[in-house]
Amino acid sequence: MGQKFLEPNESDYLLDYKELIAIAPILKKVLKEEDSFEFSKQLYEFTKIIYEQYKNEKEKLNT
């Protein structure tokens, strides 16, 4: 998988390890603190994809 770079303001939306564990405590069993940045980045990218699909579907319904 190719490395994706974040836009400067996108880093504001990433969560640190403590925030990820606070939201989903079960992650504590599988997520290492040193992997939390990459996980958060992937979670953000996934959220962007879902949001884009939502916008596209909403646009289709409005036409």
Side-chain angles (χ1 to χ4, degrees), residues 22-54:
I23 293 168
I26 194 138
L27 288 175
K28 194 171 193 171
K29 295 179 182 179
V30 294
L31 183 65
K32 296 176 186 164
E33 193 164 351
E34 56 268 13
D35 298 330
S36 62
F37 175 76
E38 186 61 34
F39 179 80
S40 183
K41 192 166 70 170
Q42 290 175 7
L43 183 61
Y44 176 72
E45 290 294 326
F46 181 63
T47 304
K48 278 182 19 180
I49 291 168
I50 292 172
Y51 180 68
E52 285 300 317
Q53 288 180 343
Y54 163 77

